[in-house]
Amino acid sequence: MINYEAILSEIAEEIVPYLSLGKVADYIPALANADLNQFAMSITLFDGTTYNIGDFNTRFSIQSISKVFTFTKSLNIHSAELYNRVGKEPSGNPFNSLVQLEYEKGKPRNPFINAGAIVITDTLISHYKSTEATFENTLNFIQSIAHNKTIDFDSEVYESEYKTSFRNLALANLMKSFGNLDNSVDDVVKTYLKHCSIAMSTKELSRAMLFLANHGTDPISQQNFITPSQAKRINALMLTCGHYDASGEFAFYVGLPGKSGVGGGIVAVVPNMMSIAVFSPGLNSWGNSLAGTHALQLFTSKSGLSIF
Ligand code: GLU
């Protein structure tokens, strides 16, 4: 029997020296003043038991973790056709890189880099016919997988990121020039940023991700959100692409499918067992939570739980 409570307490102590080593995502002005000392970690098991430590009820900007939810939604709607517009290979490049997109003619490598998530948002807008309906459906989806209707977006983070979103607009313009964006650049980028500015706590995130640990069906409510084969593919992409050009590092040290966001959150799943979320706003040079990654590495080492 694994003593999760004891493991979380040990982790919360052992990560302290790592908290101040990261750097906040100051390219989004509203995130520049985040407190580097914040740390939270939550686990949700299949029977609904949760273990939490730190600021686990504090909501933070989920940023790129939202890409898992929008990709899930879009895959559910468009199925494999989606791969005509976005690939399924690791990029080996930073999350907001323009270079590869130019020589690969506007087709992003995967749905978890910015360019890929922008295309995914475009497919959702085409389906729902308006930016408002797209955001509403995405938020509703997140609220239903988290079983929490109070989850919402943070308008300050959204406004602040939009004002400095030069690279995302450049990526969207480049894809538009290659014919890989159907809706207006501004509409797509704004909606994408609104998804990124959704705020959740680690407790809520670990609950929300549980369906991906159980082949697409929430093990607590038995609600089905996606097919087993789609869940398998999302997990595969989280493992190979969920941490951008540090995805190899994450697989090597943590050994779980996971997705990070520049808000400092990381979600990970232990297939058939649990979902884990961690938060600490200091980022490493790849834009992934530094103490958060270390916490997950400690968790898989101490518990012996990893997919390898
Ligand atoms: N909204 C962020 C951006 O577009 C997301 C990046 C991330 O979390 O990795 O730059």
Side-chain angles (χ1 to χ4, degrees):
M1 190 62 185
I2 301 171
N3 187 341
Y4 294 112
E5 224 156 25
I7 289 180
L8 289 189
S9 309
E10 282 173 31
I11 292 173
E13 253 176 55
E14 288 173 39
I15 52 91
V16 171
Y18 293 83
L19 294 174
S20 58
L21 301 180
K23 199 176 157 298
V24 295
D26 54 7
Y27 78 96
I28 302 176
L31 299 183
N33 297 323
D35 175 5
L36 280 180
N37 289 316
Q38 277 179 296
F39 176 77
M41 193 162 183
S42 297
I43 294 171
T44 305
L45 304 183
F46 274 24
D47 66 358
T49 312
T50 69
Y51 297 93
N52 304 277
I53 198 144
D55 311 314
F56 57 87
N57 281 318
T58 302
R59 285 183 174 163
F60 57 90
S61 197
I62 67 170
Q63 293 296 322
S64 283
I65 295 172
S66 66
K67 294 170 181 171
V68 177
F69 305 135
T70 49
F71 179 52
T72 301
K73 235 7 236 167
S74 185
L75 194 57
N76 209 223
I77 294 164
H78 300 283
S79 304
E81 252 179 52
L82 206 52
Y83 301 115
N84 296 328
R85 297 187 50 193
V86 61
K88 37 186 154 13
E89 287 295 335
S91 68
N93 271 304
F95 63 94
N96 55 6
S97 169
L98 282 144
V99 184
Q100 203 168 40
L101 199 57
E102 165 72 3
Y103 65 75
E104 296 189 352
K105 303 194 170 29
K107 181 175 176 181
R109 276 283 174 108
N110 66 68
F112 294 152
I113 48 174
N114 286 13
I118 289 170
V119 167
I120 294 297
T121 302
D122 185 56
T123 66
L124 292 174
I125 297 176
S126 298
H127 177 80
Y128 290 115
K129 312 280 187 244
S130 76
T131 54
E132 292 78 14
T134 301
F135 179 71
E136 203 183 303
N137 273 281
T138 304
L139 184 62
N140 280 342
F141 174 62
I142 294 173
Q143 290 173 340
S144 48
I145 54 174
H147 292 79
N148 186 331
K149 284 281 161 203
T150 69
I151 293 167
D152 207 347
F153 83 111
D154 180 333
S155 57
E156 191 197 332
V157 172
Y158 165 69
E159 302 283 347
S160 149
E161 186 172 7
Y162 180 64
K163 283 193 198 126
T164 57
S165 207
F166 312 113
R167 290 193 78 88
N168 285 325
L169 287 162
L171 290 166
N173 273 297
L174 194 54
M175 292 190 287
K176 185 87 179 165
S177 79
F178 281 109
N180 196 13
L181 216 64
D182 294 330
N183 298 283
S184 99
V185 162
D186 208 47
D187 277 356
V188 179
V189 171
K190 278 183 170 158
T191 311
Y192 158 76
L193 295 178
K194 222 166 155 182
H195 297 156
C196 289
S197 65
I198 289 170
M200 292 170 78
S201 65
T202 54
K203 192 167 180 196
E204 290 161 349
L205 274 169
S206 74
R207 176 71 184 88
M209 291 291 291
L210 213 51
F211 76 104
L212 284 176
N214 189 40
H215 315 284
T217 296
D218 177 40
I220 301 174
S221 67
Q222 293 306 320
Q223 228 176 322
N224 176 254
F225 293 108
I226 198 159
T227 69
S229 126
Q230 288 170 335
K232 179 176 96 181
R233 289 175 183 12
I234 295 165
N235 281 325
L237 286 175
M238 285 204 293
L239 183 75
T240 55
C241 314
H243 285 74
Y244 314 118
D245 42 343
S247 298
E249 285 258 329
F250 190 82
F252 187 86
Y253 287 109
V254 177
L256 294 174
K259 181 75 202 86
S260 68
V262 294
I266 304 178
V267 289
V269 299
V270 181
N272 305 317
M273 278 194 86
M274 70 177 74
S275 146
I276 312 170
V278 62
F279 166 62
S280 173
L283 308 179
N284 60 25
S285 58
W286 298 286
N288 305 313
S289 174
L290 191 150
T293 306
H294 191 65
L296 286 165
Q297 180 184 342
L298 287 171
F299 178 80
T300 52
S301 306
K302 287 174 188 289
S303 65
L305 298 173
S306 107
I307 62 166
F308 301 110

